[in-house]
Amino acid sequence: MFDLAARGTTARDWHRRLTVAGLDAELVTVPEPQLTGWIEALPPAFGELASRRHVGWRVAAVGPEHAVLALRACAVEAGLMDAELHLHADRRTHRRVYCPHCGATTLAAGDRFRCAGCARTLLVHDHVSLSSGRYLGSVDTPDAAPGAAR
Ligand SMILES: [Zn+2]
């Protein structure tokens, strides 16, 4: 169970209920200042964690959307199925955005941002890949804005 800088008590409440029921539940708390570094280190760390678990293992997470999506992507990569995931995004502060021009992932706070890889100014689209946990970016042009007249 992951409390990813969650604003409420949901993860702690879930953990308490499972513990009271006598179930084995581990609560991992990631404070807000460590969240970005935690996400960057997540793919190998989650793979290692998953390799030590058995069939029937469940993952629950609460926190900002970009962190929950990143965790979901790692869980699916490790072989977990949607039925084994209980995820709740409690807010959107940033979006992890994929740049199709250079392949970089940038943590963007707004709809337009500078790609961390190629420095192009990109526009964030509503399309999110659940397999990678990233939104799609494209070069910001007047015609690229979502809903722009064509
Ligand atoms: Zn780029």
Side-chain angles (χ1 to χ4, degrees), residues 8-61:
T9 60
T10 303
R12 290 186 300 275
D13 290 345
W14 289 346
H15 182 257
R16 183 184 46 76
R17 288 179 188 172
L18 292 172
T19 302
V20 167
L23 299 172
D24 181 23
E26 178 183 357
L27 177 62
V28 175
T29 301
V30 182
E32 185 91 40
Q34 282 95 37
L35 195 55
T36 299
W38 182 83
I39 291 170
E40 291 171 2
L42 186 57
F46 193 89
E48 167 62 22
L49 177 65
S51 72
R52 292 183 276 119
R53 301 298 177 172
H54 303 285
V55 172
W57 182 48
R58 303 284 193 267
V59 171

mmCIF file of all heavy atoms in Angstrom, residues 8-61:
data_model
loop_
_atom_site.group_PDB
_atom_site.id
_atom_site.type_symbol
_atom_site.label_atom_id
_atom_site.label_comp_id
_atom_site.label_asym_id
_atom_site.label_seq_id
_atom_site.Cartn_x
_atom_site.Cartn_y
_atom_site.Cartn_z
ATOM 1 N N GLY A 8 -5.282 13.122 2.051
ATOM 2 C CA GLY A 8 -6.228 12.645 3.053
ATOM 3 C C GLY A 8 -5.681 11.471 3.832
ATOM 4 O O GLY A 8 -4.472 11.221 3.857
ATOM 5 N N THR A 9 -6.568 10.746 4.452
ATOM 6 C CA THR A 9 -6.179 9.613 5.281
ATOM 7 C C THR A 9 -6.530 8.277 4.629
ATOM 8 O O THR A 9 -6.479 7.233 5.287
ATOM 9 C CB THR A 9 -6.880 9.698 6.657
ATOM 10 O OG1 THR A 9 -8.305 9.687 6.449
ATOM 11 C CG2 THR A 9 -6.481 10.956 7.405
ATOM 12 N N THR A 10 -6.887 8.298 3.349
ATOM 13 C CA THR A 10 -7.368 7.089 2.683
ATOM 14 C C THR A 10 -6.399 5.920 2.811
ATOM 15 O O THR A 10 -6.802 4.821 3.206
ATOM 16 C CB THR A 10 -7.653 7.386 1.195
ATOM 17 O OG1 THR A 10 -8.599 8.455 1.126
ATOM 18 C CG2 THR A 10 -8.221 6.165 0.500
ATOM 19 N N ALA A 11 -5.136 6.120 2.489
ATOM 20 C CA ALA A 11 -4.178 5.006 2.537
ATOM 21 C C ALA A 11 -4.019 4.484 3.964
ATOM 22 O O ALA A 11 -3.980 3.275 4.186
ATOM 23 C CB ALA A 11 -2.828 5.442 1.968
ATOM 24 N N ARG A 12 -3.939 5.401 4.915
ATOM 25 C CA ARG A 12 -3.798 4.971 6.313
ATOM 26 C C ARG A 12 -5.052 4.230 6.778
ATOM 27 O O ARG A 12 -4.969 3.259 7.519
ATOM 28 C CB ARG A 12 -3.488 6.169 7.206
ATOM 29 C CG ARG A 12 -2.076 6.728 6.981
ATOM 30 C CD ARG A 12 -1.731 7.817 7.984
ATOM 31 N NE ARG A 12 -2.616 8.965 7.929
ATOM 32 C CZ ARG A 12 -2.479 10.005 7.103
ATOM 33 N NH1 ARG A 12 -1.450 10.045 6.267
ATOM 34 N NH2 ARG A 12 -3.330 11.000 7.117
ATOM 35 N N ASP A 13 -6.218 4.697 6.330
ATOM 36 C CA ASP A 13 -7.475 4.010 6.685
ATOM 37 C C ASP A 13 -7.514 2.612 6.078
ATOM 38 O O ASP A 13 -7.910 1.660 6.748
ATOM 39 C CB ASP A 13 -8.692 4.812 6.215
ATOM 40 C CG ASP A 13 -8.886 6.097 7.004
ATOM 41 O OD1 ASP A 13 -8.265 6.240 8.086
ATOM 42 O OD2 ASP A 13 -9.640 6.965 6.525
ATOM 43 N N TRP A 14 -7.117 2.486 4.816
ATOM 44 C CA TRP A 14 -7.075 1.160 4.173
ATOM 45 C C TRP A 14 -6.130 0.239 4.939
ATOM 46 O O TRP A 14 -6.453 -0.914 5.215
ATOM 47 C CB TRP A 14 -6.592 1.254 2.736
ATOM 48 C CG TRP A 14 -7.536 1.875 1.755
ATOM 49 C CD1 TRP A 14 -8.860 2.128 1.922
ATOM 50 C CD2 TRP A 14 -7.210 2.305 0.440
ATOM 51 N NE1 TRP A 14 -9.374 2.704 0.785
ATOM 52 C CE2 TRP A 14 -8.395 2.821 -0.136
ATOM 53 C CE3 TRP A 14 -6.040 2.321 -0.310
ATOM 54 C CZ2 TRP A 14 -8.435 3.333 -1.427
ATOM 55 C CZ3 TRP A 14 -6.073 2.822 -1.605
ATOM 56 C CH2 TRP A 14 -7.255 3.326 -2.145
ATOM 57 N N HIS A 15 -4.957 0.767 5.280
ATOM 58 C CA HIS A 15 -3.952 -0.028 5.979
ATOM 59 C C HIS A 15 -4.477 -0.482 7.345
ATOM 60 O O HIS A 15 -4.339 -1.648 7.720
ATOM 61 C CB HIS A 15 -2.663 0.781 6.136
ATOM 62 C CG HIS A 15 -1.576 0.006 6.800
ATOM 63 N ND1 HIS A 15 -1.240 0.198 8.115
ATOM 64 C CD2 HIS A 15 -0.777 -0.982 6.337
ATOM 65 C CE1 HIS A 15 -0.264 -0.631 8.436
ATOM 66 N NE2 HIS A 15 0.046 -1.360 7.370
ATOM 67 N N ARG A 16 -5.112 0.421 8.075
ATOM 68 C CA ARG A 16 -5.651 0.088 9.391
ATOM 69 C C ARG A 16 -6.711 -1.008 9.274
ATOM 70 O O ARG A 16 -6.706 -1.971 10.037
ATOM 71 C CB ARG A 16 -6.249 1.335 10.049
ATOM 72 C CG ARG A 16 -6.787 1.105 11.465
ATOM 73 C CD ARG A 16 -7.468 2.349 12.066
ATOM 74 N NE ARG A 16 -8.401 3.011 11.158
ATOM 75 C CZ ARG A 16 -9.636 2.557 10.857
ATOM 76 N NH1 ARG A 16 -10.066 1.460 11.419
ATOM 77 N NH2 ARG A 16 -10.409 3.216 10.038
ATOM 78 N N ARG A 17 -7.587 -0.880 8.299
ATOM 79 C CA ARG A 17 -8.651 -1.877 8.140
ATOM 80 C C ARG A 17 -8.073 -3.261 7.819
ATOM 81 O O ARG A 17 -8.547 -4.272 8.338
ATOM 82 C CB ARG A 17 -9.616 -1.464 7.035
ATOM 83 C CG ARG A 17 -10.486 -0.298 7.432
ATOM 84 C CD ARG A 17 -11.415 0.097 6.323
ATOM 85 N NE ARG A 17 -12.105 1.329 6.639
ATOM 86 C CZ ARG A 17 -12.859 1.970 5.787
ATOM 87 N NH1 ARG A 17 -13.041 1.512 4.560
ATOM 88 N NH2 ARG A 17 -13.460 3.083 6.141
ATOM 89 N N LEU A 18 -7.074 -3.307 6.956
ATOM 90 C CA LEU A 18 -6.469 -4.599 6.613
ATOM 91 C C LEU A 18 -5.745 -5.195 7.812
ATOM 92 O O LEU A 18 -5.818 -6.405 8.060
ATOM 93 C CB LEU A 18 -5.503 -4.443 5.431
ATOM 94 C CG LEU A 18 -6.157 -4.100 4.099
ATOM 95 C CD1 LEU A 18 -5.106 -3.769 3.051
ATOM 96 C CD2 LEU A 18 -7.038 -5.247 3.624
ATOM 97 N N THR A 19 -5.049 -4.343 8.564
ATOM 98 C CA THR A 19 -4.313 -4.814 9.733
ATOM 99 C C THR A 19 -5.278 -5.335 10.794
ATOM 100 O O THR A 19 -5.054 -6.398 11.384
ATOM 101 C CB THR A 19 -3.444 -3.674 10.295
ATOM 102 O OG1 THR A 19 -2.552 -3.240 9.263
ATOM 103 C CG2 THR A 19 -2.624 -4.140 11.482
ATOM 104 N N VAL A 20 -6.365 -4.609 11.045
ATOM 105 C CA VAL A 20 -7.376 -5.039 12.013
ATOM 106 C C VAL A 20 -7.974 -6.377 11.588
ATOM 107 O O VAL A 20 -8.274 -7.236 12.423
ATOM 108 C CB VAL A 20 -8.476 -3.957 12.177
ATOM 109 C CG1 VAL A 20 -9.693 -4.501 12.912
ATOM 110 C CG2 VAL A 20 -7.910 -2.741 12.901
ATOM 111 N N ALA A 21 -8.117 -6.576 10.292
ATOM 112 C CA ALA A 21 -8.672 -7.832 9.775
ATOM 113 C C ALA A 21 -7.651 -8.965 9.812
ATOM 114 O O ALA A 21 -7.952 -10.094 9.418
ATOM 115 C CB ALA A 21 -9.185 -7.632 8.357
ATOM 116 N N GLY A 22 -6.428 -8.656 10.264
ATOM 117 C CA GLY A 22 -5.401 -9.687 10.383
ATOM 118 C C GLY A 22 -4.673 -10.001 9.087
ATOM 119 O O GLY A 22 -3.981 -11.016 8.993
ATOM 120 N N LEU A 23 -4.796 -9.122 8.111
ATOM 121 C CA LEU A 23 -4.130 -9.354 6.829
ATOM 122 C C LEU A 23 -2.758 -8.691 6.826
ATOM 123 O O LEU A 23 -2.544 -7.667 7.477
ATOM 124 C CB LEU A 23 -4.992 -8.804 5.692
ATOM 125 C CG LEU A 23 -6.377 -9.462 5.573
ATOM 126 C CD1 LEU A 23 -7.228 -8.727 4.548
ATOM 127 C CD2 LEU A 23 -6.221 -10.933 5.182
ATOM 128 N N ASP A 24 -1.848 -9.268 6.087
ATOM 129 C CA ASP A 24 -0.496 -8.732 5.956
ATOM 130 C C ASP A 24 -0.548 -7.525 5.023
ATOM 131 O O ASP A 24 -0.835 -7.664 3.836
ATOM 132 C CB ASP A 24 0.432 -9.803 5.388
ATOM 133 C CG ASP A 24 1.855 -9.317 5.242
ATOM 134 O OD1 ASP A 24 2.241 -8.367 5.952
ATOM 135 O OD2 ASP A 24 2.577 -9.905 4.420
ATOM 136 N N ALA A 25 -0.323 -6.351 5.575
ATOM 137 C CA ALA A 25 -0.375 -5.138 4.766
ATOM 138 C C ALA A 25 0.788 -4.234 5.145
ATOM 139 O O ALA A 25 1.002 -3.942 6.318
ATOM 140 C CB ALA A 25 -1.694 -4.413 4.991
ATOM 141 N N GLU A 26 1.528 -3.820 4.154
ATOM 142 C CA GLU A 26 2.660 -2.918 4.371
ATOM 143 C C GLU A 26 2.281 -1.548 3.825
ATOM 144 O O GLU A 26 1.764 -1.441 2.717
ATOM 145 C CB GLU A 26 3.890 -3.440 3.627
ATOM 146 C CG GLU A 26 5.094 -2.546 3.754
ATOM 147 C CD GLU A 26 6.285 -3.064 2.944
ATOM 148 O OE1 GLU A 26 6.173 -4.147 2.340
ATOM 149 O OE2 GLU A 26 7.299 -2.368 2.901
ATOM 150 N N LEU A 27 2.527 -0.504 4.609
ATOM 151 C CA LEU A 27 2.234 0.859 4.181
ATOM 152 C C LEU A 27 3.554 1.576 3.885
ATOM 153 O O LEU A 27 4.400 1.706 4.757
ATOM 154 C CB LEU A 27 1.454 1.625 5.253
ATOM 155 C CG LEU A 27 1.146 3.089 4.936
ATOM 156 C CD1 LEU A 27 0.272 3.204 3.691
ATOM 157 C CD2 LEU A 27 0.464 3.755 6.131
ATOM 158 N N VAL A 28 3.702 2.016 2.643
ATOM 159 C CA VAL A 28 4.868 2.793 2.228
ATOM 160 C C VAL A 28 4.408 4.240 2.069
ATOM 161 O O VAL A 28 3.495 4.519 1.288
ATOM 162 C CB VAL A 28 5.445 2.273 0.886
ATOM 163 C CG1 VAL A 28 6.573 3.169 0.398
ATOM 164 C CG2 VAL A 28 5.889 0.833 1.038
ATOM 165 N N THR A 29 5.017 5.127 2.826
ATOM 166 C CA THR A 29 4.660 6.543 2.764
ATOM 167 C C THR A 29 5.778 7.312 2.079
ATOM 168 O O THR A 29 6.937 7.214 2.477
ATOM 169 C CB THR A 29 4.423 7.109 4.182
ATOM 170 O OG1 THR A 29 3.365 6.366 4.792
ATOM 171 C CG2 THR A 29 4.058 8.577 4.137
ATOM 172 N N VAL A 30 5.424 8.048 1.039
ATOM 173 C CA VAL A 30 6.396 8.862 0.311
ATOM 174 C C VAL A 30 5.996 10.325 0.495
ATOM 175 O O VAL A 30 4.981 10.761 -0.038
ATOM 176 C CB VAL A 30 6.434 8.507 -1.195
ATOM 177 C CG1 VAL A 30 7.501 9.332 -1.914
ATOM 178 C CG2 VAL A 30 6.649 7.015 -1.392
ATOM 179 N N PRO A 31 6.772 11.101 1.257
ATOM 180 C CA PRO A 31 6.448 12.516 1.459
ATOM 181 C C PRO A 31 6.587 13.307 0.154
ATOM 182 O O PRO A 31 7.371 12.949 -0.736
ATOM 183 C CB PRO A 31 7.486 12.985 2.484
ATOM 184 C CG PRO A 31 8.061 11.738 3.067
ATOM 185 C CD PRO A 31 7.938 10.682 2.022
ATOM 186 N N GLU A 32 5.838 14.384 0.062
ATOM 187 C CA GLU A 32 5.821 15.218 -1.153
ATOM 188 C C GLU A 32 7.222 15.597 -1.662
ATOM 189 O O GLU A 32 7.483 15.455 -2.857
ATOM 190 C CB GLU A 32 4.996 16.482 -0.883
ATOM 191 C CG GLU A 32 4.805 17.362 -2.102
ATOM 192 C CD GLU A 32 3.529 17.015 -2.866
ATOM 193 O OE1 GLU A 32 2.515 16.750 -2.225
ATOM 194 O OE2 GLU A 32 3.575 16.994 -4.098
ATOM 195 N N PRO A 33 8.146 16.045 -0.801
ATOM 196 C CA PRO A 33 9.457 16.448 -1.335
ATOM 197 C C PRO A 33 10.233 15.298 -1.991
ATOM 198 O O PRO A 33 11.077 15.535 -2.844
ATOM 199 C CB PRO A 33 10.205 16.960 -0.098
ATOM 200 C CG PRO A 33 9.145 17.316 0.881
ATOM 201 C CD PRO A 33 8.028 16.352 0.625
ATOM 202 N N GLN A 34 9.958 14.072 -1.609
ATOM 203 C CA GLN A 34 10.678 12.924 -2.179
ATOM 204 C C GLN A 34 9.937 12.281 -3.359
ATOM 205 O O GLN A 34 10.450 11.338 -3.967
ATOM 206 C CB GLN A 34 10.923 11.861 -1.118
ATOM 207 C CG GLN A 34 12.074 12.183 -0.179
ATOM 208 C CD GLN A 34 11.601 12.859 1.088
ATOM 209 O OE1 GLN A 34 10.547 12.528 1.609
ATOM 210 N NE2 GLN A 34 12.354 13.823 1.577
ATOM 211 N N LEU A 35 8.772 12.773 -3.695
ATOM 212 C CA LEU A 35 7.930 12.082 -4.665
ATOM 213 C C LEU A 35 8.556 11.990 -6.057
ATOM 214 O O LEU A 35 8.553 10.922 -6.675
ATOM 215 C CB LEU A 35 6.556 12.762 -4.736
ATOM 216 C CG LEU A 35 5.447 11.985 -5.419
ATOM 217 C CD1 LEU A 35 5.269 10.605 -4.785
ATOM 218 C CD2 LEU A 35 4.147 12.770 -5.345
ATOM 219 N N THR A 36 9.133 13.071 -6.560
ATOM 220 C CA THR A 36 9.707 13.048 -7.906
ATOM 221 C C THR A 36 10.863 12.056 -7.992
ATOM 222 O O THR A 36 10.940 11.253 -8.924
ATOM 223 C CB THR A 36 10.164 14.457 -8.317
ATOM 224 O OG1 THR A 36 9.016 15.317 -8.329
ATOM 225 C CG2 THR A 36 10.789 14.447 -9.709
ATOM 226 N N GLY A 37 11.757 12.068 -7.027
ATOM 227 C CA GLY A 37 12.872 11.116 -7.017
ATOM 228 C C GLY A 37 12.386 9.684 -6.858
ATOM 229 O O GLY A 37 12.941 8.764 -7.473
ATOM 230 N N TRP A 38 11.359 9.504 -6.057
ATOM 231 C CA TRP A 38 10.782 8.168 -5.858
ATOM 232 C C TRP A 38 10.229 7.636 -7.188
ATOM 233 O O TRP A 38 10.447 6.474 -7.531
ATOM 234 C CB TRP A 38 9.686 8.236 -4.799
ATOM 235 C CG TRP A 38 9.058 6.923 -4.467
ATOM 236 C CD1 TRP A 38 9.525 5.985 -3.600
ATOM 237 C CD2 TRP A 38 7.858 6.388 -5.027
ATOM 238 N NE1 TRP A 38 8.674 4.900 -3.580
ATOM 239 C CE2 TRP A 38 7.644 5.129 -4.440
ATOM 240 C CE3 TRP A 38 6.931 6.867 -5.965
ATOM 241 C CZ2 TRP A 38 6.553 4.331 -4.758
ATOM 242 C CZ3 TRP A 38 5.844 6.077 -6.284
ATOM 243 C CH2 TRP A 38 5.666 4.823 -5.681
ATOM 244 N N ILE A 39 9.537 8.487 -7.945
ATOM 245 C CA ILE A 39 8.980 8.066 -9.235
ATOM 246 C C ILE A 39 10.110 7.693 -10.203
ATOM 247 O O ILE A 39 10.035 6.698 -10.909
ATOM 248 C CB ILE A 39 8.081 9.172 -9.831
ATOM 249 C CG1 ILE A 39 6.812 9.324 -8.991
ATOM 250 C CG2 ILE A 39 7.731 8.875 -11.284
ATOM 251 C CD1 ILE A 39 5.975 10.550 -9.340
ATOM 252 N N GLU A 40 11.175 8.483 -10.224
ATOM 253 C CA GLU A 40 12.295 8.200 -11.131
ATOM 254 C C GLU A 40 12.953 6.862 -10.810
ATOM 255 O O GLU A 40 13.411 6.162 -11.700
ATOM 256 C CB GLU A 40 13.315 9.336 -11.071
ATOM 257 C CG GLU A 40 12.788 10.625 -11.685
ATOM 258 C CD GLU A 40 13.706 11.812 -11.436
ATOM 259 O OE1 GLU A 40 14.776 11.637 -10.817
ATOM 260 O OE2 GLU A 40 13.330 12.918 -11.859
ATOM 261 N N ALA A 41 13.008 6.523 -9.533
ATOM 262 C CA ALA A 41 13.640 5.265 -9.121
ATOM 263 C C ALA A 41 12.664 4.098 -9.102
ATOM 264 O O ALA A 41 13.060 2.958 -8.830
ATOM 265 C CB ALA A 41 14.254 5.441 -7.727
ATOM 266 N N LEU A 42 11.406 4.369 -9.395
ATOM 267 C CA LEU A 42 10.365 3.365 -9.230
ATOM 268 C C LEU A 42 10.502 2.127 -10.120
ATOM 269 O O LEU A 42 10.318 1.010 -9.632
ATOM 270 C CB LEU A 42 8.988 4.008 -9.428
ATOM 271 C CG LEU A 42 7.774 3.129 -9.152
ATOM 272 C CD1 LEU A 42 7.816 2.578 -7.729
ATOM 273 C CD2 LEU A 42 6.492 3.919 -9.392
ATOM 274 N N PRO A 43 10.796 2.271 -11.423
ATOM 275 C CA PRO A 43 10.791 1.040 -12.250
ATOM 276 C C PRO A 43 11.680 -0.082 -11.710
ATOM 277 O O PRO A 43 11.182 -1.201 -11.508
ATOM 278 C CB PRO A 43 11.230 1.544 -13.623
ATOM 279 C CG PRO A 43 10.759 2.971 -13.646
ATOM 280 C CD PRO A 43 10.978 3.467 -12.235
ATOM 281 N N PRO A 44 12.953 0.144 -11.429
ATOM 282 C CA PRO A 44 13.731 -0.987 -10.903
ATOM 283 C C PRO A 44 13.320 -1.369 -9.482
ATOM 284 O O PRO A 44 13.310 -2.559 -9.131
ATOM 285 C CB PRO A 44 15.176 -0.490 -10.957
ATOM 286 C CG PRO A 44 15.087 0.989 -10.982
ATOM 287 C CD PRO A 44 13.783 1.317 -11.652
ATOM 288 N N ALA A 45 12.967 -0.383 -8.667
ATOM 289 C CA ALA A 45 12.593 -0.670 -7.281
ATOM 290 C C ALA A 45 11.307 -1.487 -7.229
ATOM 291 O O ALA A 45 11.200 -2.434 -6.439
ATOM 292 C CB ALA A 45 12.430 0.641 -6.500
ATOM 293 N N PHE A 46 10.330 -1.135 -8.052
ATOM 294 C CA PHE A 46 9.077 -1.872 -8.029
ATOM 295 C C PHE A 46 9.274 -3.278 -8.573
ATOM 296 O O PHE A 46 8.699 -4.241 -8.055
ATOM 297 C CB PHE A 46 7.978 -1.142 -8.814
ATOM 298 C CG PHE A 46 6.617 -1.722 -8.540
ATOM 299 C CD1 PHE A 46 5.847 -1.243 -7.504
ATOM 300 C CD2 PHE A 46 6.134 -2.780 -9.297
ATOM 301 C CE1 PHE A 46 4.610 -1.799 -7.222
ATOM 302 C CE2 PHE A 46 4.901 -3.342 -9.030
ATOM 303 C CZ PHE A 46 4.132 -2.850 -7.985
ATOM 304 N N GLY A 47 10.090 -3.409 -9.615
ATOM 305 C CA GLY A 47 10.381 -4.739 -10.153
ATOM 306 C C GLY A 47 11.005 -5.634 -9.096
ATOM 307 O O GLY A 47 10.651 -6.813 -8.970
ATOM 308 N N GLU A 48 11.922 -5.083 -8.313
ATOM 309 C CA GLU A 48 12.557 -5.829 -7.223
ATOM 310 C C GLU A 48 11.535 -6.211 -6.156
ATOM 311 O O GLU A 48 11.501 -7.353 -5.701
ATOM 312 C CB GLU A 48 13.687 -4.989 -6.615
ATOM 313 C CG GLU A 48 14.225 -5.474 -5.298
ATOM 314 C CD GLU A 48 14.857 -6.860 -5.365
ATOM 315 O OE1 GLU A 48 15.256 -7.298 -6.444
ATOM 316 O OE2 GLU A 48 14.928 -7.512 -4.290
ATOM 317 N N LEU A 49 10.697 -5.269 -5.786
ATOM 318 C CA LEU A 49 9.655 -5.533 -4.787
ATOM 319 C C LEU A 49 8.703 -6.622 -5.281
ATOM 320 O O LEU A 49 8.397 -7.569 -4.550
ATOM 321 C CB LEU A 49 8.876 -4.243 -4.509
ATOM 322 C CG LEU A 49 7.695 -4.332 -3.545
ATOM 323 C CD1 LEU A 49 8.171 -4.694 -2.146
ATOM 324 C CD2 LEU A 49 6.930 -3.011 -3.517
ATOM 325 N N ALA A 50 8.255 -6.503 -6.520
ATOM 326 C CA ALA A 50 7.301 -7.479 -7.077
ATOM 327 C C ALA A 50 7.924 -8.876 -7.179
ATOM 328 O O ALA A 50 7.229 -9.878 -7.010
ATOM 329 C CB ALA A 50 6.813 -7.012 -8.440
ATOM 330 N N SER A 51 9.228 -8.937 -7.429
ATOM 331 C CA SER A 51 9.876 -10.244 -7.588
ATOM 332 C C SER A 51 9.886 -11.034 -6.281
ATOM 333 O O SER A 51 10.062 -12.247 -6.294
ATOM 334 C CB SER A 51 11.304 -10.074 -8.119
ATOM 335 O OG SER A 51 12.149 -9.532 -7.116
ATOM 336 N N ARG A 52 9.713 -10.352 -5.146
ATOM 337 C CA ARG A 52 9.700 -11.023 -3.843
ATOM 338 C C ARG A 52 8.291 -11.341 -3.358
ATOM 339 O O ARG A 52 8.111 -11.864 -2.275
ATOM 340 C CB ARG A 52 10.425 -10.163 -2.804
ATOM 341 C CG ARG A 52 11.921 -10.059 -3.071
ATOM 342 C CD ARG A 52 12.653 -9.262 -2.012
ATOM 343 N NE ARG A 52 12.558 -7.827 -2.316
ATOM 344 C CZ ARG A 52 11.991 -6.925 -1.512
ATOM 345 N NH1 ARG A 52 11.484 -7.269 -0.362
ATOM 346 N NH2 ARG A 52 11.944 -5.659 -1.867
ATOM 347 N N ARG A 53 7.278 -11.006 -4.143
ATOM 348 C CA ARG A 53 5.884 -11.240 -3.744
ATOM 349 C C ARG A 53 5.345 -12.494 -4.401
ATOM 350 O O ARG A 53 5.911 -13.011 -5.361
ATOM 351 C CB ARG A 53 5.009 -10.033 -4.113
ATOM 352 C CG ARG A 53 5.454 -8.747 -3.460
ATOM 353 C CD ARG A 53 5.381 -8.844 -1.961
ATOM 354 N NE ARG A 53 5.891 -7.599 -1.361
ATOM 355 C CZ ARG A 53 5.821 -7.328 -0.092
ATOM 356 N NH1 ARG A 53 5.297 -8.192 0.742
ATOM 357 N NH2 ARG A 53 6.307 -6.202 0.372
ATOM 358 N N HIS A 54 4.209 -12.964 -3.893
ATOM 359 C CA HIS A 54 3.584 -14.193 -4.380
ATOM 360 C C HIS A 54 2.268 -13.875 -5.073
ATOM 361 O O HIS A 54 1.731 -12.763 -4.942
ATOM 362 C CB HIS A 54 3.343 -15.158 -3.219
ATOM 363 C CG HIS A 54 4.582 -15.499 -2.474
ATOM 364 N ND1 HIS A 54 5.531 -16.364 -2.969
ATOM 365 C CD2 HIS A 54 5.048 -15.064 -1.284
ATOM 366 C CE1 HIS A 54 6.525 -16.463 -2.103
ATOM 367 N NE2 HIS A 54 6.261 -15.677 -1.068
ATOM 368 N N VAL A 55 1.736 -14.862 -5.739
ATOM 369 C CA VAL A 55 0.429 -14.722 -6.371
ATOM 370 C C VAL A 55 -0.581 -14.304 -5.312
ATOM 371 O O VAL A 55 -0.557 -14.794 -4.190
ATOM 372 C CB VAL A 55 0.000 -16.056 -7.029
ATOM 373 C CG1 VAL A 55 -1.445 -15.982 -7.521
ATOM 374 C CG2 VAL A 55 0.948 -16.404 -8.172
ATOM 375 N N GLY A 56 -1.435 -13.376 -5.659
ATOM 376 C CA GLY A 56 -2.423 -12.883 -4.705
ATOM 377 C C GLY A 56 -2.043 -11.534 -4.106
ATOM 378 O O GLY A 56 -2.849 -10.924 -3.408
ATOM 379 N N TRP A 57 -0.829 -11.097 -4.379
ATOM 380 C CA TRP A 57 -0.380 -9.797 -3.875
ATOM 381 C C TRP A 57 -1.224 -8.701 -4.518
ATOM 382 O O TRP A 57 -1.527 -8.748 -5.709
ATOM 383 C CB TRP A 57 1.097 -9.603 -4.217
ATOM 384 C CG TRP A 57 1.708 -8.327 -3.724
ATOM 385 C CD1 TRP A 57 1.622 -7.801 -2.478
ATOM 386 C CD2 TRP A 57 2.533 -7.430 -4.482
ATOM 387 N NE1 TRP A 57 2.343 -6.635 -2.399
ATOM 388 C CE2 TRP A 57 2.905 -6.376 -3.619
ATOM 389 C CE3 TRP A 57 2.994 -7.409 -5.794
ATOM 390 C CZ2 TRP A 57 3.708 -5.319 -4.019
ATOM 391 C CZ3 TRP A 57 3.802 -6.368 -6.205
ATOM 392 C CH2 TRP A 57 4.157 -5.332 -5.321
ATOM 393 N N ARG A 58 -1.641 -7.747 -3.736
ATOM 394 C CA ARG A 58 -2.424 -6.616 -4.225
ATOM 395 C C ARG A 58 -1.649 -5.328 -3.969
ATOM 396 O O ARG A 58 -0.888 -5.236 -3.000
ATOM 397 C CB ARG A 58 -3.770 -6.520 -3.514
ATOM 398 C CG ARG A 58 -4.634 -7.760 -3.625
ATOM 399 C CD ARG A 58 -5.264 -7.835 -5.007
ATOM 400 N NE ARG A 58 -6.323 -8.813 -5.096
ATOM 401 C CZ ARG A 58 -6.164 -10.074 -5.483
ATOM 402 N NH1 ARG A 58 -4.967 -10.514 -5.772
ATOM 403 N NH2 ARG A 58 -7.191 -10.886 -5.574
ATOM 404 N N VAL A 59 -1.871 -4.335 -4.816
ATOM 405 C CA VAL A 59 -1.234 -3.034 -4.654
ATOM 406 C C VAL A 59 -2.328 -1.984 -4.578
ATOM 407 O O VAL A 59 -3.241 -1.964 -5.405
ATOM 408 C CB VAL A 59 -0.287 -2.726 -5.840
ATOM 409 C CG1 VAL A 59 0.205 -1.285 -5.779
ATOM 410 C CG2 VAL A 59 0.885 -3.697 -5.841
ATOM 411 N N ALA A 60 -2.226 -1.121 -3.580
ATOM 412 C CA ALA A 60 -3.141 0.008 -3.439
ATOM 413 C C ALA A 60 -2.295 1.269 -3.320
ATOM 414 O O ALA A 60 -1.213 1.249 -2.727
ATOM 415 C CB ALA A 60 -4.019 -0.170 -2.205
ATOM 416 N N ALA A 61 -2.785 2.348 -3.913
ATOM 417 C CA ALA A 61 -2.035 3.605 -3.861
ATOM 418 C C ALA A 61 -2.991 4.785 -3.901
ATOM 419 O O ALA A 61 -4.010 4.752 -4.590
ATOM 420 C CB ALA A 61 -1.049 3.697 -5.016
#
